[in-house]
Amino acid sequence: MKKIECIMRPSKLDDVKDALDQAGIKGMTVTNVIGCGLQRGIKESYRGNSYSVNLIPKIKIEVVVIDAVLEKAISIITAKAGTGNLGDGKIFIYDVLDAIRIRTGESGDSALQV
């Protein structure tokens, strides 16, 4: 099992969520986050004064998938979240030792299946 953690533009959330759902990848956690990467923030103007905003609002999606669908999930996220511009985000992949469904006690890959 792998955990996919994706930091991306908030405007792309519905596209990514719908595409993952259509591919059969159902469970996810979504968090509003702020941060900066290579983009290093943006310049804003308020009442004629210019100032830098270093921390930009982003969305973090966390999804745990079985190894067999990892590449499919990554390709969906990159296709739907990408704009080709600076600030599109990053995807991080982690190993997951186990998953346990609390309701039934199922563990491993079967805990992730619907």
Side-chain angles (χ1 to χ4, degrees):
M1 288 179 286
K2 303 290 185 199
K3 177 181 179 183
I4 302 169
E5 187 175 281
C6 174
I7 311 293
M8 60 183 224
R9 297 174 187 273
S11 62
K12 294 295 188 169
L13 174 61
D14 287 335
D15 294 341
V16 171
K17 184 176 60 77
D18 293 343
L20 288 173
D21 187 51
Q22 287 177 353
I25 302 167
K26 304 291 183 186
M28 70 175 57
T29 301
V30 179
T31 311
N32 288 306
V33 296
I34 57 172
C36 68
L38 296 175
Q39 192 176 9
R40 287 290 177 220
I42 55 175
K43 295 275 186 196
E44 292 281 331
S45 181
Y46 180 71
R47 293 188 179 181
N49 295 324
S50 182
Y51 61 96
S52 293
V53 178
N54 292 335
L55 299 176
I56 300 169
K58 298 287 183 175
I59 292 288
K60 179 168 73 170
I61 295 177
E62 297 171 278
V63 182
V64 178
V65 297
I66 59 175
D67 292 338
V69 299
L70 177 64
E71 292 304 320
K72 183 178 184 179
I74 291 170
S75 66
I76 289 170
I77 293 169
T78 54
K80 296 297 182 177
T83 66
N85 297 317
L86 197 62
D88 277 349
K90 296 266 189 310
I91 298 173
F92 304 97
I93 311 297
Y94 303 94
D95 286 322
V96 174
L97 297 176
D98 201 359
I100 300 166
R101 186 179 307 217
I102 294 172
R103 179 176 49 89
T104 62
E106 294 171 275
S107 65
D109 290 354
S110 63
L112 302 180
Q113 306 298 324
V114 177

